[in-house]
Amino acid sequence: MTAFAAEIPSAVTERECEALAELARGKDVLELGSQYGRSTIALASVAKSVHSVDWHLGDADAGKGDTLAEFVANLDRHGLRNKVVMHVGRFEDVLPLLRREA
């Protein structure tokens, strides 16, 4: 069953969470940008694992502010922290470290 974390602030709708979960079911997933974790929770509720990349300091579109502590608390509250590998950093710094050997 897909978890929809309605209590977590996000622009991601319940329908979008369901679509993400459908794509992620049983797979290893790479998520770019997690903010407070609503989409992460939807993915992790059905995925094998989720690698979540975010620097948790916001931007002009998402707003500024540190979201890491609340992100971790939300994963804990939903019992999904053990399925999420957190990569805290900017995409351009973290993604090259995640490349698989060809």
Side-chain angles (χ1 to χ4, degrees), residues 42-93:
L43 293 165
S45 71
V46 298
K48 182 177 173 185
S49 69
V50 177
H51 285 259
S52 180
V53 181
D54 197 314
W55 78 322
H56 291 283
L57 294 177
D59 60 30
D61 294 319
K64 300 289 183 179
D66 189 341
T67 61
L68 182 58
E70 207 165 335
F71 173 70
V72 172
N74 289 332
L75 293 177
D76 285 341
R77 187 172 24 267
H78 285 268
L80 294 167
R81 188 172 179 188
N82 65 327
K83 292 183 73 178
V84 178
V85 180
M86 293 175 273
H87 303 274
V88 180
R90 291 180 171 274
F91 301 155
E92 60 268 26
D93 296 329

